[in-house]
Amino acid sequence: MLKSQTRYAIDPATAKTLDTDQLRDHFHVGGLFAEGEINLVYSHYDRLILGSAVPGNGTLMLDHMPETGTASFLDRRELGVLNVGGTGTVSVDGEDHTLERGEVLYVGMGSGPVGFSGSGRFYLLSAPAHRSCPTRLIRLAGARRVEMGARETANERVILQFLHPEVAETCQLVMGYTQFAEGSVWNTMPAHLHDRRMEAYLYFDVGADQRVFHIMGEPDQTRHIVMANEEAVISPPWSVHCGAGTGAYTFCWAMAGDNVDFTDMDIVAMGDLR
């Protein structure tokens, strides 16, 4: 079963007038990982689609999504798949790819329908593509690993880059995830902007009684959205995206836009945040 919804882009002047529920309606994405379902959110920010597939005891097939206006989902799109569950299988163009937890599969434009089976909980990210890049499975050992932060500043973390120019070729999708050491809770500080790309976060490995406070908005008009486990948030190009948790957690980040340069960002000085 495929379920879908659309989120429209809004400007920062409108965003700063929204109350808590309205902010969540525009940017927070909950209820993604439902067994036996593919759930997709079509964002008008750079036309990124984020979602999930949880096959359970059956097989799910991603093929036609009316919002894309194409016969098959990947006719003019590329796809990144992150497994945040048990061992699962993703079937593409007659080939089965076994994904363990934490592994990522890139699927190129024109690959046809995509099947999901097994015990995986698959997080999906898709962006428009102008050419076909090779489908590729990236295991943990193949990811680019960047260690940053320190325990003293509560941001000791490891950034694992999977869909990155030094790891796997894509058209515009950049994707990976960040894991925090015990006792570290702050992500993406100092904050930054990149007006040339939008971003989406999925927070996972969040304890049932823990939460992450995701900070968004213009640097001088920040707001927060409270996030639980396996919930996603859409970050517009004009917004900072950072946060702090009540315990350690992991978050998947993904970007789409004008380039695939991970370091293309405009740092916001701590003194400029409000």
Side-chain angles (χ1 to χ4, degrees):
M1 177 186 295
L2 186 149
K3 296 181 178 179
S4 63
Q5 59 176 283
T6 299
R7 301 288 181 95
Y8 295 98
I10 61 172
D11 64 276
T14 300
K16 68 183 181 182
T17 69
L18 303 181
D19 64 20
T20 298
D21 289 337
Q22 291 169 325
L23 274 176
R24 293 177 73 86
D25 287 344
H26 279 282
F27 303 110
H28 173 266
V29 182
L32 279 177
F33 291 86
E35 186 168 325
E37 294 179 1
I38 295 175
N39 283 283
L40 301 176
V41 176
Y42 186 107
S43 169
H44 277 237
Y45 293 109
D46 288 300
R47 304 286 170 170
L48 184 83
I49 294 175
L50 61 94
S52 62
V54 185
N57 294 323
T59 298
L60 296 173
M61 190 66 64
L62 176 59
D63 189 3
H64 178 63
M65 181 188 185
E67 288 86 344
T68 65
T70 55
S72 189
F73 185 81
L74 290 179
D75 282 354
R76 295 182 60 84
R77 285 185 162 271
E78 58 186 352
L79 175 69
V81 181
L82 165 65
N83 184 11
V84 298
T87 303
T89 300
V90 181
S91 302
V92 181
D93 198 21
E95 184 175 355
D96 292 339
H97 304 270
T98 300
L99 273 70
E100 302 295 341
R101 179 178 173 83
E103 296 181 339
V104 170
L105 178 70
Y106 173 78
V107 184
M109 183 187 76
S111 296
V114 180
F116 303 92
S117 58
S119 300
R121 297 169 69 82
F122 301 105
Y123 179 52
L124 312 179
L125 291 151
S126 175
H130 62 279
R131 60 187 174 90
S132 181
C133 299
T135 294
R136 180 179 171 187
L137 174 60
I138 305 105
R139 303 202 183 276
L140 281 172
R144 186 172 185 263
R145 183 183 177 95
V146 180
E147 297 184 4
M148 296 187 69
R151 184 162 300 184
E152 292 76 15
T153 50
N155 66 349
E156 184 181 3
R157 62 200 188 275
V158 175
I159 301 172
L160 295 169
Q161 300 169 337
F162 288 82
L163 304 189
H164 181 281
E166 296 185 27
V167 180
E169 182 185 18
T170 69
C171 285
Q172 65 163 317
L173 193 58
V174 182
M175 177 183 172
Y177 55 85
T178 301
Q179 296 176 317
F180 287 84
E182 288 296 327
S184 289
V185 295
W186 276 103
N187 79 68
T188 325
M189 292 298 275
H192 64 261
L193 301 164
H194 31 69
D195 196 55
R196 297 156 293 280
R197 297 192 302 245
M198 66 82 66
E199 191 157 357
Y201 279 9
L202 172 75
Y203 288 100
F204 62 106
D205 293 339
V206 180
D209 59 347
Q210 305 294 319
R211 292 295 183 269
V212 177
F213 289 74
H214 178 85
I215 299 171
M216 65 159 294
E218 294 177 293
D220 60 350
Q221 288 286 338
T222 58
R223 304 291 187 269
H224 74 269
I225 298 176
V226 179
M227 309 292 298
N229 189 46
E230 294 185 346
E231 293 184 343
V233 65
I234 297 168
S235 181
W238 47 261
S239 175
V240 297
H241 34 277
C242 52
T246 57
Y249 57 94
T250 304
F251 71 96
C252 174
W253 41 265
M255 295 172 278
D258 275 334
N259 62 50
V260 292
D261 181 0
F262 182 84
T263 61
D264 180 17
M265 58 186 73
D266 303 313
I267 301 297
V268 178
M270 293 293 280
D272 291 337
L273 291 173
R274 296 291 183 269

